[in-house]
Amino acid sequence: MSTSFLVYGAVALAVVWSLGIMQWLKGRSSGNEEMVRISRAIQEGSSAYLNRQYRAVGVVALVLFLIIGWALGWTTAAGFLIGAVASALAGYIGMNVAVRSNSKTAEAARKGLGAALTLAFRAGSVTGYLVVALGLLSVGGFFMYTHDVSALIGLGFGASLISVFARLGGGIFTKAADVGTDLVGKVESNIPEDDPRNPGVIADNVGDNVGDCAGMAADLFETYAVTLTAALLLGSRLTSFPLELPLLLGAVAIVASLVGGLFVRIGKSPSTGSGQDGNIMGALYKGLIASLVISAAGFWWVARTFHIAGSSGPGPEQIFHTTLIGLAVTALMVLITDYYTSKKFRPVKSIAEASNSGHGTNIIMGLSVGMESTFLPIIVIAAGIWGAYALTGVYGIALAATSMLSVAGIVVAIDSFGPITDNAGGIAEMSGAPEDVRKITDALDAVGNTTKAVTKGYAIASAGLAAVALFAGYADELSRYAIAAVFELSNPMVVIGLFLGAALPYLFASIAMKAVGVAAGAIVEEIRRQFREIKGLMEGTGKPEYGKAVDIVTRAALRQMIVPALLPIVLTILVGWFLGAAALGGFLMGTIVSGLFVALSMTSGGAAWDNAKKYIEAGNFGGKGSDAHKAAVTGDTVGDPYKDTAGPAVNPMIKVANIVALLMVRFLR
């Protein structure tokens, strides 16, 4: 059985499967006229933002395409263009399915928790399956057509560029809208979340889609494509492995994710309480566990079937065990992130309890949980690197990262479930749906916060493995061009590079956080203006101007995303050009290590703050309106840009720096 048959067959199956789900979704009811009207406003705002974002990024991409073609060749430039277009397409299609499914999910909640969960997951699965299908098609198809491994670096750069812009722009939009809407609505005006009187509610719901749906899709597409690229790059230097092995792993895992999705179903559901949350999470985890088990079986078949007979390298058992390490890292990262961000466990409850003492203690405890949440993931990542290297050398690290990313289809499906249910809750509130519907959408939304955090933890851990593989590729490229560089601490240039690289994630995150503050300030002023000037708005007789709020935060987000998105490109080039290959190697190492800690701390800490607020809103520590709740809202306001803007954007930033370093190796000294 040929590699091309498996790759194209798996891609075709995922596409056909997704089209079938989309056809099924068309037949579901979108609810009453008010629900449809709200959903359409969210659709229009999301599409308008994404179109403007891609137009802005397109100008940057065009300039880079011409530079890459002139400096590195037009095959590499073509790869850059394919990676950029596929990354944008993954986010765009997924977001459009999501925004057409939010009101359908709210309407399905009238039939019960099971119906709403099924619809939201299936809608999210379209994004997940298309991400891996496009990733495998773009990398595998480009490689099998050109047989030029080096040109794949251009493809990875195109995917990374779109990803960092999508993560930043979408993250700035969603958190500026969320923070601004909550500050004026819940804190200043004392009205409920998603209250239709608040002019920022549509912008808030738009943000969920452009940040958590389109942004995450572009992020994981980029991680998937870059990981395959790193594995193929390292594999091309070896003769003891079939070169197409990473593509084969991706192909069988697509089938595993499709089958695993069929296992997502709810059991006996408690009507209220945290048990309901556990039931929802359990249903989603059934799909993930099934995908991991089926992937493991598929990897064994690949290792046995495509092993090079008579090779002096690792045998099929070692290859298989290396892929199991990637799957184990996935499972452990899910469990650890769930522990630190779910309402059921000690970290979130400790933040909620600290809220009794006021705003300051809530912030202190949230920061503590965020910092604590880095330790266990780093242990898991380090153990994964050690185990994979011990089994199959440096190539094993790339292989473990590939097996970890191969189940991205089901993971992204679980993640995209989050913004869909968040929107469904907002639509239920704004349309005046019955209380039992709102209880179901609230339960789904609370779990969605955890699934989004779990996916970010998964993406960051996979980025850690992928970045190590990319660094190994950088060292290998240096030797290919006969550039002598030894990465030792006795070399002051390496130490200088380490310091500069370690500083990059902090500077990047700082600018991203500041961007949210600036954009949030703009929408705060607009919401206050409408409350002041529109007669009868607070009484419910006047109508807010939702479109103006969306437009203001759109312009602010697009303006603020440019500098941080270009920062890793510019700094990597400057370090390599002026300080040399050794300093650039140190720079990459510093960026990887520092970036992992910053990203993990921010994403887990921010999600814990959010769910601590929801834990109090469920009736604990005084419930809504209590002093503890007000403190928790403050913590959530700080945590929002942590978990949805700066933290997740560090992930593609790390890969951008590594990919740019690979592209400029031939120009180093």
Side-chain angles (χ1 to χ4, degrees):
M1 190 179 296
S2 69
T3 300
S4 59
F5 176 81
L6 284 173
V7 168
Y8 293 134
V11 169
L13 183 61
V15 171
V16 170
W17 198 297
S18 298
L19 290 173
I21 293 174
M22 287 190 276
Q23 191 63 35
W24 178 84
L25 288 169
K26 282 184 180 179
R28 305 307 101 189
S29 172
S30 297
N32 58 40
E33 186 178 335
E34 181 63 11
M35 294 168 74
V36 172
R37 185 188 66 80
I38 297 167
S39 178
R40 189 171 294 119
I42 296 169
Q43 291 174 35
E44 291 171 358
S46 300
S47 296
Y49 170 78
L50 218 55
N51 289 337
R52 288 170 68 173
Q53 175 179 271
Y54 286 153
R55 281 199 298 270
V57 177
V59 175
V60 178
L62 179 60
V63 172
L64 289 173
F65 169 76
L66 296 174
I67 293 173
I68 292 170
W70 172 73
L72 302 173
W74 294 106
T75 304
T76 301
F80 169 81
L81 193 61
I82 290 170
V85 171
S87 181
L89 194 61
Y92 199 85
I93 294 174
M95 187 209 71
N96 273 284
V97 173
V99 296
R100 284 165 173 77
S101 304
N102 45 24
S103 64
K104 295 177 186 287
T105 301
E107 178 64 15
R110 296 179 186 273
K111 301 176 184 177
L113 180 61
L117 170 67
T118 299
L119 196 147
F121 173 77
R122 288 185 181 176
S125 71
V126 174
T127 307
Y129 300 151
L130 288 180
V131 162
V132 290
L134 283 168
L136 187 60
L137 178 62
S138 57
V139 176
F142 185 73
F143 170 70
M144 287 186 288
Y145 179 75
T146 63
H147 298 287
D148 187 345
V149 179
S150 296
L152 279 175
I153 300 171
L155 191 150
F157 182 43
S160 298
L161 179 75
I162 295 298
S163 174
V164 74
F165 273 110
R167 261 303 188 195
L168 274 171
I172 293 168
F173 185 108
T174 184
K175 290 305 106 180
D178 194 358
V179 169
T181 301
D182 281 355
L183 281 176
V184 184
K186 289 198 288 189
V187 178
E188 294 182 7
S189 304
N190 200 29
I191 60 176
E193 188 172 1
D194 296 319
D195 192 301
R197 293 172 293 177
N198 193 325
V201 291
I202 295 297
D204 188 7
N205 282 282
V206 167
D208 293 328
N209 294 289
V210 299
D212 287 321
C213 194
M216 174 55 79
D219 186 355
L220 274 175
F221 171 87
E222 171 262 343
T223 305
Y224 188 91
V226 166
T227 302
L228 285 178
T229 296
L232 288 167
L233 187 66
L234 290 174
S236 67
R237 309 286 190 263
L238 306 170
T239 58
S240 54
F241 299 91
L243 182 55
E244 301 87 356
L245 182 59
L247 303 178
L248 296 168
L249 296 177
V252 299
I254 284 180
V255 178
S257 290
L258 294 174
V259 177
L262 299 176
F263 286 79
V264 176
R265 58 188 67 181
I266 206 141
K268 292 182 180 179
S269 173
S271 59
T272 59
S274 60
Q276 194 178 53
D277 294 356
N279 209 263
I280 299 166
M281 205 64 167
L284 296 171
Y285 281 169
K286 284 178 193 174
L288 178 60
I289 292 168
S291 297
L292 291 172
V293 171
I294 298 168
S295 289
F299 293 166
W300 171 245
W301 174 77
V302 168
R304 295 282 295 180
T305 305
F306 293 92
H307 178 67
I308 298 176
S311 167
S312 60
E317 290 81 8
Q318 289 169 286
I319 294 173
F320 173 62
H321 292 152
T322 302
T323 63
L324 287 186
I325 287 175
L327 297 179
V329 171
T330 297
L332 289 171
M333 285 301 302
V334 167
L335 292 174
I336 292 168
T337 311
D338 186 27
Y339 171 73
Y340 278 103
T341 59
S342 173
K343 294 189 295 182
K344 297 181 293 182
F345 301 113
R346 188 258 318 163
V348 168
K349 289 181 179 179
S350 68
I351 298 174
E353 185 176 4
S355 303
N356 278 319
S357 306
H359 301 257
T361 47
N362 171 282
I363 299 297
I364 292 168
M365 187 60 71
L367 290 171
S368 171
V369 167
M371 287 187 276
E372 180 191 326
S373 69
T374 64
F375 185 71
L376 288 178
I378 292 298
I379 294 294
V380 170
I381 294 169
I385 292 171
W386 176 77
Y389 184 82
L391 284 168
T392 47
V394 70
Y395 181 67
I397 300 171
L399 210 58
T402 301
S403 68
M404 187 177 181
L405 262 299
S406 63
V407 292
I410 189 72
V411 175
V412 176
I414 292 172
D415 173 80
S416 296
F417 161 90
I420 292 170
T421 56
D422 195 342
N423 271 200
I427 290 171
E429 176 74 25
M430 286 185 277
S431 64
E435 184 64 24
D436 60 334
V437 171
R438 183 65 192 188
K439 282 183 179 179
I440 289 174
T441 57
D442 280 349
L444 292 169
D445 182 25
V447 171
N449 280 331
T450 302
T451 63
K452 287 185 286 186
V454 164
T455 309
K456 292 181 182 99
Y458 163 82
I460 293 163
S462 63
L465 293 178
V468 172
L470 285 171
F471 180 80
Y474 170 73
D476 191 71
E477 284 287 287
L478 289 177
S479 63
R480 181 185 170 202
Y481 285 95
I483 299 173
V486 180
F487 306 116
E488 294 179 347
L489 291 179
S490 58
N491 184 344
M493 299 310 293
V494 173
V495 176
I496 291 169
L498 276 170
F499 284 145
L500 291 173
L504 174 58
Y506 285 94
L507 179 61
F508 177 87
S510 166
I511 297 172
M513 292 281 287
K514 189 185 299 182
V516 172
V518 171
I523 195 171
V524 162
E525 291 304 317
E526 173 60 20
I527 295 172
R528 285 173 177 168
R529 181 196 68 78
Q530 292 195 34
F531 277 146
R532 276 195 320 267
E533 298 179 4
I534 298 178
K535 293 181 180 179
L537 184 54
M538 290 301 292
E539 292 76 21
T541 56
K543 290 200 172 184
E545 297 171 341
Y546 297 123
K548 285 193 175 180
V550 172
D551 185 63
I552 285 172
V553 76
T554 295
R555 284 188 278 110
L558 294 177
R559 187 168 56 250
Q560 295 294 326
M561 75 177 182
I562 300 297
V563 172
L566 295 178
L567 186 65
I569 300 174
V570 173
L571 282 185
T572 303
I573 292 173
L574 290 176
V575 169
W577 189 264
F578 289 104
L579 300 181
L584 184 55
F587 179 84
L588 297 179
M589 288 188 283
T591 300
I592 293 168
V593 174
S594 171
L596 283 177
F597 281 95
V598 170
L600 287 168
S601 176
M602 285 186 159
T603 53
S604 293
W609 258 316
D610 193 347
N611 272 344
K613 179 196 71 174
K614 283 184 166 53
Y615 183 74
I616 293 172
E617 288 175 346
N620 301 290
F621 301 113
K624 290 183 180 180
S626 65
D627 289 341
H629 182 239
K630 292 176 182 176
V633 170
T634 300
D636 181 36
T637 302
V638 175
D640 271 342
Y642 254 53
K643 69 181 174 68
D644 287 326
T645 307
V650 170
N651 175 22
M653 184 219 73
I654 294 171
K655 264 86 60 73
V656 165
N658 279 270
I659 287 287
V660 171
L662 278 170
L663 286 172
M664 65 180 301
V665 162
R666 68 187 70 182
F667 304 110
L668 297 177
R669 52 182 171 81

